[in-house]
Amino acid sequence: DAEVAGCTDSAACNYDASATEDDGSCDFCSCARATDYTLTVEATPAVTAGSTTYRFYVDMQDPTDRMSAVFGNDQASLLVNTPAGAFSSTFNASWNASGINAAFLPLVPDLADDTYATIGLDGPASTSGIAGAADPSVVEDASQPITPYFLTNGATSLESTTLTGASWYVLNTAANALPVGGRWFIGQVTTSGAISGQINYQVFPLGVGADQVQTSVTFDGAGTFGSTTEVVCGCMD
């Protein structure tokens, strides 16, 4: 049989499964990319005097990456601690942003302070202007549900630590699974005191579900948390 020249190293970007003879063309750089997704927590004064609204964002690595889920279980605890209590508006009957009706904001300004979970939306998917957007869904252990945290005014803690755990998610086909402005918006909490905890999330790099990346990040107040892997290609000799 005739020999086929090409890259024979399966770890290379240009690996050729049909190659029988390595021709020195292996490229390990062109597809190199960071694999860690940092968490950014931004703080702004709330409408309610004396309170602060914290918005949680996951920073993307590629514009085709897709956010899958925020989750917690016995292997990766999902924790949000707000000792002074989180604000929940009675005008949002949902645990997510689908109950934030922009038309009510002039009449009920503190609706903007509501604590809710989301993936890429600050209101209903139907009025987001994003074609193909979908409101997130939730699964949760009935013995340790997470939705009460977003529905109870003054809630002091969200916790998911059981085997079954909990998650809010969107399908890979949802348009809001794609990042906006280099990141995904995953939740909002308003409180008059401190905030800390741990957030876990699953991302599909380049939109490929088989390559899922699960990241756990602890946070305390505002800032960027987690680590980044910088890939720098060039001559090392």
Side-chain angles (χ1 to χ4, degrees), residues 73-93:
N73 53 42
D74 62 338
Q75 301 298 311
S77 299
L78 176 61
L79 305 168
V80 180
N81 302 307
T82 46
F87 172 72
S88 179
S89 172
T90 56
F91 287 89
N92 180 7

Side-chain angles (χ1 to χ4, degrees), residues 46-48 51-56 86-101 105 108-118 121-123 147-154 185 187-191:
V47 173
T48 304
S51 291
T52 301
T53 297
Y54 294 90
R55 283 197 160 201
F56 293 77
F87 172 72
S88 179
S89 172
T90 56
F91 287 89
N92 180 7
S94 175
W95 57 271
N96 62 45
S98 65
I100 305 292
N101 188 333
L105 291 175
V108 190
D110 66 3
L111 176 59
D113 294 344
D114 187 61
T115 294
Y116 58 85
T118 186
L121 301 171
D122 58 6
T147 50
Y149 179 79
F150 301 105
L151 296 167
T152 306
N153 190 37
F185 177 36
Q188 173 174 295
V189 178
T190 296
T191 182

